Amino acid sequence: MANQMEQTKEMLHMFLRSLPIGSFFNLVSFGSQFASLFPQSRLYDDESLKSASEHVSGMSANMGGTNLVDPLQSIIGKFSDASSDSNRQRRIFVLTDGAVDQGQMQQIRQFFGSTQSTFKIFSFGIGDGASPELVHDMASMTGGSSEMIPSTVDMEPIIMRQLMRAIGLQLENLKVDWHALKVQGDPAIPTSLLNGDAIQILRTIE
């Protein structure tokens, strides 16, 4: 657990150093309870970066089990209240080394299913104890992306790949025009494409 906590703290420091100028951010620690660093998201500048970096350096794994429903509801509720920032991209990066029971997993799915998609989640599962189901579903249900990170790999390329997906250009409402070609079946086409990602569509032409 200690090694995973140090890995999480290293990831957070990388994130903080890589945020784009002009963005707003906050840090939310979660376990059986949750707590935010700032009352509201803060402009990314030297002062807020210093406060956040010091906060991350002092983190310890002392918040109990994994409860994600309450912090996610709180974060997304604040998105809804910030009507003046409606044109801003809203991105949530979730770092977890744990799992949730099926009851909480169902709550998360129901919550995302009933929430307007004004945000995307980019999730990371850290170490062997992280639930692939939890990490994947949070991202896929919000149009984001997920990564599982074993404790033995170099984290920086994975973090930068996710950051580029989150802040880069994205294609929405994708469609394929087959023109006069007759294609067997109804190919499943993703509705969006994140920066740096690719899709491959294989169909049989009559």
Side-chain angles (χ1 to χ4, degrees):
M1 180 65 71
N3 288 339
Q4 289 179 358
M5 189 64 215
E6 291 305 312
Q7 190 177 17
T8 301
K9 289 162 67 172
E10 184 181 349
M11 289 180 67
L12 285 170
H13 281 301
M14 289 182 189
F15 270 117
L16 289 172
R17 293 193 300 267
S18 304
L19 290 175
I21 300 298
S23 59
F24 286 74
F25 78 104
N26 205 347
L27 293 177
V28 179
S29 304
F30 63 90
S32 55
Q33 299 178 330
F34 71 95
S36 301
L37 173 59
F38 305 123
Q40 300 291 336
S41 294
R42 287 272 301 273
L43 177 66
Y44 180 66
D45 57 20
D46 289 342
E47 182 181 352
S48 59
L49 173 60
K50 182 175 183 294
S51 297
S53 297
E54 291 174 351
H55 176 75
V56 170
S57 295
M59 280 182 170
S60 59
N62 61 354
M63 299 193 73
T66 303
N67 174 13
L68 268 169
V69 175
D70 291 342
L72 285 172
Q73 289 178 335
S74 175
I75 293 167
I76 295 162
K78 289 180 179 179
F79 285 166
S80 301
D81 295 339
S83 57
S84 60
D85 292 332
S86 59
N87 291 327
R88 286 188 175 276
Q89 290 186 339
R90 292 176 168 87
R91 302 292 181 257
I92 304 173
F93 294 94
V94 178
L95 282 64
T96 180
D97 61 2
V100 298
D101 60 35
Q102 284 303 308
Q104 191 180 160
M105 192 70 242
Q106 186 63 26
Q107 282 183 284
I108 292 172
R109 292 190 181 112
Q110 289 174 348
F111 176 61
F112 287 153
S114 64
T115 304
Q116 284 190 331
S117 184
T118 59
F119 60 91
K120 295 181 187 296
I121 289 181
F122 295 83
S123 53
F124 297 85
I126 304 171
D128 297 334
S131 164
E133 179 186 22
L134 171 64
V135 173
H136 174 267
D137 282 11
M138 285 191 295
S140 64
M141 290 190 70
T142 60
S145 179
S146 62
E147 295 274 4
M148 299 298 293
I149 305 181
S151 56
T152 56
V153 304
D154 182 7
M155 296 181 295
E156 187 168 4
I158 300 174
I159 292 171
M160 297 311 299
R161 182 164 64 237
Q162 282 282 63
L163 276 170
M164 290 302 100
R165 288 170 177 155
I167 66 178
L169 294 176
Q170 300 176 21
L171 300 178
E172 302 285 349
N173 302 315
L174 297 180
K175 296 180 180 178
V176 175
D177 187 348
W178 299 97
H179 297 288
L181 295 176
K182 293 183 178 181
V183 179
Q184 292 182 2
D186 184 16
I189 300 172
T191 57
S192 63
L193 185 64
L194 301 173
N195 184 47
D197 286 349
I199 57 173
Q200 185 178 51
I201 302 171
L202 301 177
R203 302 308 299 172
T204 300
I205 299 174
E206 295 179 359

